[in-house]
Amino acid sequence: MKKYMLGLSSALLVTLYSFAALAQDAAAASGSNVFDKAGMSYMAAGLAIAIAAFGGALGQGKVAAAALEGIARNPGASSKIGTPMILGLALIESLVLYAFVIAFLVQGKVQ
């Protein structure tokens, strides 16, 4: 658990520092403030997509694990478990795609 938390915090720090470095270059080039409406909408869109992708991946992992566990316990039910599993995975993926589309719509409204 300690290695996991160390890796996660390291990745988070690298990500946050790179955002700051790139934002400073963009602000210096345009001569505007980084915290304007457009900059915040880009950050919000990126964060929304990241959270949606993370949640979708967790959901898909849980669905697949539960389906495989059910098939392992009762191999005869694999045909009855497979179809609802695929339907559930498609619905989870559609929610992630909706978040992707909404993030781009919000980004377009600001400019």
Side-chain angles (χ1 to χ4, degrees):
M1 185 67 174
K2 193 173 186 179
K3 280 186 179 181
Y4 175 73
M5 291 304 290
L6 181 64
L8 183 63
S9 62
S10 299
L12 183 65
L13 285 174
V14 168
T15 303
L16 291 177
Y17 281 125
S18 65
F19 282 152
L22 294 174
Q24 289 174 359
D25 289 342
S30 67
S32 67
N33 188 4
V34 177
F35 296 108
D36 59 349
K37 258 187 178 178
M40 286 298 181
S41 72
Y42 291 137
M43 289 177 65
L47 190 62
I49 293 170
I51 291 172
F54 181 71
L58 285 178
Q60 287 180 343
K62 271 191 156 318
V63 167
L68 289 175
E69 185 178 337
I71 291 171
R73 288 177 184 247
N74 186 5
S78 64
S79 62
K80 292 181 181 180
I81 293 175
T83 304
M85 180 192 68
I86 297 297
L87 181 64
L89 291 174
L91 292 173
I92 292 169
E93 189 66 28
S94 70
L95 289 175
V96 173
L97 292 175
Y98 288 149
F100 185 69
V101 168
I102 289 171
F104 275 114
L105 289 176
V106 165
Q107 205 173 14
K109 293 281 186 189
V110 173
Q111 296 177 359

